[in-house]
Amino acid sequence: MMAPALLSAVLLLLLLPAASADSSDPTNFTIMVTNAVTDSANQTYSTYVVYRGILLGGMRRLQDSNSGFSFTYTENLNYGPFLESVNGLAGNSEERTYWELLVQKPNSTVIRPDVGIGCYIPSANDKIILNFNRY
Ligand code: B12
Ligand SMILES: *[C@@H]1O[C@H](CO)[C@@H](O)[C@H](O)[C@H]1NC(C)=O
Ligand SMILES: *[C@@H]1O[C@H](CO)[C@@H](O)[C@H](O)[C@H]1NC(C)=O
Ligand SMILES: *[C@@H]1O[C@H](CO)[C@@H](O)[C@H](O)[C@H]1NC(C)=O
């Protein structure tokens, strides 16, 4: 007969792997490329990050999978990666255009993250919207 405290410790050890299993599943999300300046066709792609991985990682994975998605970024000293171009189209300070980062949550609410692609951590089923826009 095991003491109740020992028994619950053994039970906890048995249950732990199951309880943390979700952190080993990929976090699936989509990336939609839109253009508010020229109104060209939207493109949607699917990718994923590991548990609490950053958006930039999911974008690199998508680019490396030959899905037709490509992007470039510049490195800002203070804020990290600034998304410069998507699918060959680059933002331009003379024309005051840039790639805006928006996120449509599963309940359809659209947010505008207050961080860039190097800091945003996608949630499952986010629709990341990379929107070519003016400022
Ligand atoms: C103006 C501005 C912009 C302009 C910059 C272009 C321009 N020529 O004006 C535009 C509209 C492009 C912009 C875009 C974004 N911005 Co902005 N921006 C600012 C703002 C208001 C002033 C920056 C500035 O002119 N500084 C003075 C100059 C002399 O210094 P600078 O180092 O040369 O400034 C450059 C950087 O700030 C850079 N920059 C601007 N925003 C961002 C964002 C990121 C992630 C990076 C890496 C660089 C960067 O562009 C400036 C000009 O080259 C700051 C807030 C503030 N008051 O500082 C926010 C700020 C820097 N931006 C921010 C954010 C979040 C964004 C976006 C991600 C918003 C979005 N959801 O789309 C996008 C970037 C998306 C991408 N393509 O990667 C955050 C960054 C916080 C963080 N830790 O990541 C700030 C601090 C505002 C906030 N919400 O708190 N932004
Ligand atoms: C994520 O996507 C993969 C491949 O499309 C799929 O097999 C997996 O079940 C998805 N995971 C979740 C948690 O939806
Ligand atoms: C692209 O997506 C945006 C934002 O969801 C939407 O407003 C627009 O109508 C779409 N454009 C096309 C051409 O489907
Ligand atoms: C939608 O979901 C987000 C988080 O995923 C939450 O912050 C927000 O309050 C929700 N909005 C509505 C209208 O339910």
Side-chain angles (χ1 to χ4, degrees), residues 60-82:
R60 281 205 182 110
R61 182 171 284 124
L62 182 59
Q63 176 163 257
D64 292 349
S65 71
N66 296 314
S67 57
F69 175 83
S70 64
F71 71 101
T72 63
Y73 63 89
T74 56
E75 196 70 33
N76 178 274
L77 171 67
N78 296 299
Y79 302 118
F82 181 84

Side-chain angles (χ1 to χ4, degrees), residues 2 18 21 33 37 42-43 55 57 66 70 89 92-93 99 108 123:
M2 275 195 234
V33 178
V37 177
N42 296 336
Q43 311 258 42
L55 174 57
N66 296 314
S70 64
L89 175 62
N92 180 312
S93 54
W99 283 97
S108 295
S123 298

Side-chain angles (χ1 to χ4, degrees), residues 4 8 12 29 35 49 60 69 77 83 86 99 108 115 131-132:
S8 33
L12 189 63
F29 62 98
N35 190 325
V49 288
R60 281 205 182 110
F69 175 83
L77 171 67
L83 182 60
V86 176
W99 283 97
S108 295
V115 294
N131 181 40
F132 193 70

